[in-house]
């Protein structure tokens, strides 16, 4: 075998080995958001690695499919699980696909102490979400049963809430509604890329118990019902 062929084969072997063992940290930093997030930790390779220290999440496992990358499909498969929040889905630069997020009120209570001690679950399913520096388009649904499961602690119950997920003015918008025999509720929550959120909640109710409970959570009387306008940080 000629020396030239040996050199080429050796170089190719080194290149393949380098690609196979390419650290995730070299690549993920190009795609992970940098604002409002502390120092992240990366481990493993770009083909099978993880990201940790993401606020509110457990370690995020990431696997990369070369076949999907070559065909233009979302090629990062992501999965994260902790005691109170789990998520999985696929992604490529600018697109999330087939994402499911499931959590409970213990996770929410850790962010906002007013909700500490409440029980209930929430789930968001995203068929797809396209983005650049902000949300461009989204299709999905979100549901929660928290208002139906805390009668003993709150002394009041409300309906299950559900609704679509979309994009509006660069934010991820969730519009949940629900009603039962005594009341109807509409909640619009906007998740903004800068790490902030806005919530606009309106409650129309004939249940007198609501007047004792809702003000504890910041609601104010409005047009025969109650209204909450709130903003803060989610990240």
């Amino acid at each position: 075998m000629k020396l030239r062929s040996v050199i080429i084969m050796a170089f190719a072997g080194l290149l393949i080995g380098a690609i196979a063992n390419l650290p995730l940290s070299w690549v993920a930093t190009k795609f992970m958001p940098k604002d409002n997030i502390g120092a992240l930790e990366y481990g493993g390779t770009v083909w099978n690695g993880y990201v940790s220290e993401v606020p509110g999440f457990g370690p995020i496992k990431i696997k990369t499919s070369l076949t999907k990358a070559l065909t233009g499909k979302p090629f990062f498969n992501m999965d994260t699980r902790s005691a109170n929040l789990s998520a999985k889905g696929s992604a490529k630069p600018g697109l999330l696909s087939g994402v499911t997020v499931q959590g409970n009120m213990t996770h929410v209570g850790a962010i906002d102490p007013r909700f500490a001690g409440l029980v209930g679950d929430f789930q968001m399913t995203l068929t797809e979400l396209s983005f650049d520096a902000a949300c461009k388009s989204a299709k999905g649904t979100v549901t929660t049963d928290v208002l139906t499961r805390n009668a003993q602690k709150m002394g009041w119950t409300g309906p299950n809430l559900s609704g679509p997920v979309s994009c509006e003015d660069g934010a991820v918008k969730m519009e949940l509604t629900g009603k039962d025999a005594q009341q109807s509720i509409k909640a619009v929550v906007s998740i903004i890329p800068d790490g902030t959120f806005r919530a606009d909640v309106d409650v129309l109710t004939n249940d007198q118990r609501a007047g004792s409970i809702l003000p504890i959570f910041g609601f104010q009387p409005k047009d025969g019902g109650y209204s909450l306008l709130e903003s803060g940080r989610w990240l």
Side-chain angles (χ1 to χ4, degrees):
M1 184 180 294
K2 294 182 179 181
L3 179 61
R4 182 180 178 184
S5 298
V6 173
I7 293 174
I8 291 174
M9 291 178 64
F11 180 77
L14 288 172
L15 182 61
I16 293 171
I19 293 174
N21 293 283
L22 183 64
L24 178 63
S25 59
W26 289 14
V27 178
T29 53
K30 307 297 182 183
F31 304 106
M32 293 296 291
K34 297 177 177 60
D35 296 333
N36 306 304
I37 294 182
L40 302 180
E41 294 185 5
Y42 301 92
T45 68
V46 69
W47 309 107
N48 189 1
Y50 66 89
V51 182
S52 60
E53 303 303 324
V54 179
F57 290 85
I60 302 173
K61 299 177 182 178
I62 298 177
K63 293 186 177 181
T64 303
S65 168
L66 180 59
T67 301
K68 290 182 178 180
L70 294 174
T71 56
K73 297 178 181 179
F75 52 87
F76 290 127
N77 293 317
M78 302 175 294
D79 192 335
T80 178
R81 299 177 185 276
S82 63
N84 303 308
L85 185 70
S86 64
K88 62 180 180 179
S90 300
K92 67 178 183 178
L95 180 70
L96 298 175
S97 177
V99 174
T100 301
V101 180
Q102 295 177 308
N104 59 43
M105 289 305 295
T106 302
H107 175 78
V108 177
I111 300 172
D112 189 333
R114 291 176 300 176
F115 298 99
L118 297 183
V119 298
D121 300 311
F122 61 87
Q123 176 172 314
M124 180 170 66
T125 301
L126 287 173
T127 304
E128 64 176 28
L129 186 152
S130 64
F131 60 93
D132 43 30
C135 185
K136 295 171 60 179
S137 65
K139 182 179 180 182
T141 58
V142 60
T143 62
T144 181
D145 61 2
V146 62
L147 297 182
T148 67
R149 296 181 56 187
N150 291 279
Q152 183 173 359
K153 184 174 180 62
M154 297 177 61
W156 170 75
T157 58
N160 287 328
L161 301 179
S162 63
V165 179
S166 62
C167 290
E168 184 175 275
D169 297 328
V172 178
K173 178 183 176 183
M174 298 177 285
E175 187 170 344
L176 297 90
T177 59
K179 63 180 180 179
D180 56 26
Q182 297 193 78
Q183 55 227 334
S184 64
I185 298 175
K186 179 179 180 179
V188 179
V189 181
S190 297
I191 306 297
I192 305 168
D194 65 2
T196 62
F197 74 89
R198 294 193 306 268
D200 185 351
V201 186
D202 290 306
V203 179
L204 292 176
T205 180
N206 296 321
D207 191 336
Q208 298 300 315
R209 297 174 299 174
S212 301
I213 299 301
L214 293 180
I216 297 175
F217 293 90
F219 283 82
Q220 300 293 328
K222 178 184 176 182
D223 300 332
Y226 296 88
S227 179
L228 173 68
L229 293 172
E230 190 164 272
S231 60
R233 301 204 65 85
W234 63 272
L235 189 61

